[in-house]
Amino acid sequence: MSNQLTDAQIDWFMQQAIIEARKAEALGEVPIGAVVVIDGKIVARGFNLRERLQDPSQHAEYQAIVEASRLQRSWRLPDAQVFVTLEPCIMCAGLMQQARVTDVYYGAEDPKAGGVHSMYHLLEDERLNHQVTVHSGIREAETSQMLTNFFKTIRKRQKARKQVVSD
């Protein structure tokens, strides 16, 4: 199968990344999910686990890429496409570049830490030996709202705790 995906496939794969994000959310983690697709099939999944594991590397796409590499028995993933609910940070963008991923599809922009479009353009930097094609804004409203709702809930809980302590 070529790397060309239909709109319906793109939508479905992003839905799968959203399902992974919901798993993170259920654990109290920031809801970010990712899937790695090769030949039109999901070969690996991941979701944010930084808090639970107290490990700064445990981003959704990091987990999914490492798992895909293990399953493919190669650090090179030249036919892989990554779907992630939030714009990758510079660590994850660097991992995609190093793994030779062909495409990344992401939902919400990350204006504070985005390594793909918002702050940096790491994946399209021609000074590097490999570029990754970037597709942004996939189910952006849904993925953005999921993050907004999560952080609203967190702030509400923190405010309630502060109020209990001060009473």
Side-chain angles (χ1 to χ4, degrees):
M1 180 176 170
S2 84
N3 285 335
Q4 295 297 324
L5 298 173
T6 66
D7 289 345
Q9 288 174 307
I10 291 167
D11 186 68
W12 190 82
F13 289 132
M14 185 57 78
Q15 178 60 37
Q16 298 307 301
I18 290 168
I19 289 168
E20 294 303 307
R22 295 289 184 204
K23 292 176 184 176
E25 185 175 39
L27 296 173
E29 295 276 356
V30 177
I32 303 167
V35 297
V36 176
V37 174
I38 298 176
D39 293 330
K41 294 181 176 74
I42 295 174
V43 297
R45 296 170 177 267
F47 56 88
N48 189 29
L49 282 171
R50 289 190 315 173
E51 294 297 330
R52 181 162 282 235
L53 299 178
Q54 290 299 297
D55 181 341
S57 71
Q58 292 305 300
H59 292 200
E61 56 269 59
Y62 182 94
Q63 289 181 354
I65 291 168
V66 168
E67 178 70 3
S69 292
R70 187 183 68 74
L71 292 170
Q72 297 295 308
R73 297 177 187 222
S74 177
W75 62 267
R76 292 178 186 91
L77 300 172
D79 299 318
Q81 299 154 315
V82 177
F83 289 77
V84 60
T85 57
L86 180 67
E87 177 184 1
C89 70
I90 57 174
M91 175 185 73
C92 293
L95 185 62
M96 289 176 197
Q97 192 274 337
Q98 289 294 310
R100 311 302 194 260
V101 167
T102 60
D103 297 82
V104 62
Y105 296 80
Y106 72 86
E109 297 278 327
D110 187 351
K112 294 183 180 179
V116 175
H117 276 154
S118 296
M119 293 187 69
Y120 303 97
H121 292 86
L122 187 66
L123 295 180
E124 299 167 319
D125 190 328
E126 293 188 12
R127 295 173 294 176
L128 297 171
N129 65 330
H130 176 75
Q131 289 77 46
V132 177
T133 303
V134 176
H135 310 269
S136 61
I138 312 301
R139 296 181 77 156
E140 183 175 14
E142 183 177 359
T143 55
S144 293
Q145 192 62 53
M146 183 171 43
L147 289 160
T148 298
N149 292 346
F150 176 81
F151 287 113
K152 275 184 185 175
T153 301
I154 294 293
R155 285 191 294 276
K156 192 175 184 179
R157 282 188 203 140
Q158 289 172 340
K159 186 177 179 180
R161 280 190 206 124
K162 285 181 185 177
Q163 196 165 6
V164 167
V165 170
S166 68
D167 287 345

